[in-house]
Amino acid sequence: MFDLAGLHQAEAVVYGAMPPTPQYRWPGLSRLAGCDVWVKHENHTPTGAFKVRGGLVLFHELHRTGQLPAKVITATRGNHGQSIPFAASRFGIPVTVLAPRGNSVEKNAAMVGWGAELVEFGDDFEDARVEAVRRAESEGALLVPPFHPALVRGVATYALELLTAVPDLDVVYVPIGMGSGICGLIRTRDLLGLKTDIVGVVAARAPAMARSVAAGEVVATQAADTFADGIACRVPMPEPLDVVCRGAAGVVEVGEDAIAEAMRMLYSETHNVAEGAGAAAFAALMQHRGRHAGQRVAVVLTGGNVDTAILRIVLGGGVPVAETAVLQAAPSASGSPPRA
């Protein structure tokens, strides 16, 4: 994918637009999880999520190689869709972003705010992704896929920051959407020669990557109806699947109630707002509490872009339920035993 020199080049590009994000050890989280817990705060980027790093590196590479397009089309549930116009606007390139109907209202507004033309299409990310491919071909635009070598190299800069600042980590938990974040982390760990275990995390209601890793091949699901929209993926791509199969210690499924409870814990103990995908890593660590006594563990808080309506439900003790764009509260099951 990339070497250390390429990763340091990506750092220079990223830091032209933002500073490194912090990684903090939080004593309250450590007490709850029964181990030494560090949080990588990717909610502290200009777009509120780690994806911004990838967009910056992709467009720098296109500019450097003289391949800047006249127009860009991509698909998203929100954070990737902010990264691309954020970076493309630096070069005056128009971006069309496709998002499924009923997508996050506030992520949609942010994408438009960064300069994107927003088109709502389909019932989920996969529908929007397929339509983005069709439109890019018919309009002669550059299609930016959810997984691309430059995107992975860009987001891997968060991994380099974390693993150099806290080099003696035993385990890192990281959520998996389409795979750029975990793949960048795996590659960076290997380049640094570290032995840190990397555990991927998916929603139990969007388990395609977990099933694919178990099968050793792409296994699509019919639905991905988790409220954690950043990991609501039902058709994994072969490239990241191969990296995860070879480099991850495992993939954990977490339930909706566990994600909501993790959001509450992160807020109460750190006063950081985590979106569902951003809290998934800590939810998995809590599901494994007792396994890491005496160890140093990091969780990647990949983003904080959660709609006010969802956050209100969560902080009120409920669990959001996404049903064809209608959000309602379900009773919290945080008092029940964690899912194995």
Side-chain angles (χ1 to χ4, degrees):
M1 280 189 285
F2 53 83
D3 57 17
L4 272 177
L7 189 50
H8 287 304
Q9 290 170 357
E11 273 190 311
V13 173
V14 170
Y15 299 156
M18 57 171 275
T21 61
Q23 41 280 312
Y24 296 134
R25 179 192 178 276
W26 292 98
L29 299 180
S30 299
R31 173 181 51 80
L32 289 167
C35 58
D36 198 31
V37 179
W38 290 73
V39 177
K40 181 56 172 170
H41 284 285
E42 288 301 281
N43 56 316
H44 291 188
T45 75
T47 64
F50 78 107
K51 292 282 190 178
V52 68
R53 299 169 180 265
L56 289 166
V57 171
L58 172 63
F59 280 91
H60 174 81
E61 184 172 291
L62 291 171
H63 174 69
R64 181 180 60 80
T65 57
Q67 299 181 65
L68 283 172
K71 181 179 181 180
V72 166
I73 295 179
T74 195
T76 190
R77 288 301 306 267
N79 289 333
H80 171 78
Q82 292 180 63
S83 168
I84 300 307
F86 179 88
S89 65
R90 294 166 169 255
F91 300 96
I93 300 170
V95 176
T96 298
V97 175
L98 280 88
R101 291 184 292 269
N103 196 52
S104 161
V105 173
E106 292 172 28
K107 285 181 178 177
N108 284 357
M111 289 186 278
V112 173
W114 291 119
E117 175 196 10
L118 178 68
V119 177
E120 294 192 21
F121 184 92
D123 294 326
D124 60 16
F125 169 76
E126 187 61 17
D127 288 348
R129 186 194 67 79
V130 171
E131 177 64 9
V133 173
R134 188 195 68 76
R135 290 190 181 212
E137 291 176 349
S138 66
E139 298 178 22
L142 174 68
L143 175 72
V144 177
F147 190 88
H148 181 283
L151 297 178
V152 177
R153 184 163 61 94
V155 301
T157 56
Y158 91 78
L160 186 60
E161 292 167 10
L162 173 63
L163 295 176
T164 53
V166 196
D168 53 350
L169 288 167
D170 295 290
V171 186
V172 179
Y173 285 82
V174 58
I176 306 176
M178 294 304 290
S180 63
I182 189 171
C183 290
L185 180 61
I186 289 170
R187 177 61 173 168
T188 303
R189 175 204 60 188
D190 293 346
L191 288 173
L192 295 176
L194 300 174
K195 302 299 182 183
T196 306
D197 284 338
I198 294 172
V199 179
V201 185
V202 301
R205 298 187 70 169
M209 181 60 88
R211 294 183 182 180
S212 298
V213 169
E217 61 184 10
V218 172
V219 176
T221 58
Q222 293 301 309
D225 57 356
T226 174
F227 82 89
D229 54 359
I231 52 176
C233 304
R234 61 181 178 86
V235 184
M237 298 177 69
E239 298 92 335
L241 173 60
D242 179 62
V243 175
V244 174
C245 284
R246 289 185 289 106
V251 178
V252 180
E253 298 181 27
V254 291
E256 302 294 281
D257 59 330
I259 294 172
E261 181 67 8
M263 291 172 68
R264 287 188 286 271
M265 290 176 175
L266 286 163
Y267 183 80
S268 65
E269 298 297 336
T270 77
H271 287 135
N272 276 264
V273 172
E275 60 185 281
F282 187 67
L285 174 58
M286 289 300 295
Q287 193 163 287
H288 285 175
R289 63 188 180 274
R291 298 188 186 184
H292 301 301
Q295 292 187 327
R296 180 168 284 192
V297 181
V299 296
V300 184
L301 200 172
T302 49
N305 296 324
V306 55
D307 278 7
T308 303
I310 295 177
L311 187 61
R312 184 178 296 117
I313 291 170
V314 170
L315 295 184
V319 181
V321 177
E323 295 180 345
T324 59
V326 177
L327 205 64
Q328 60 187 36
S332 173
S334 60
S336 59
R339 182 186 176 108

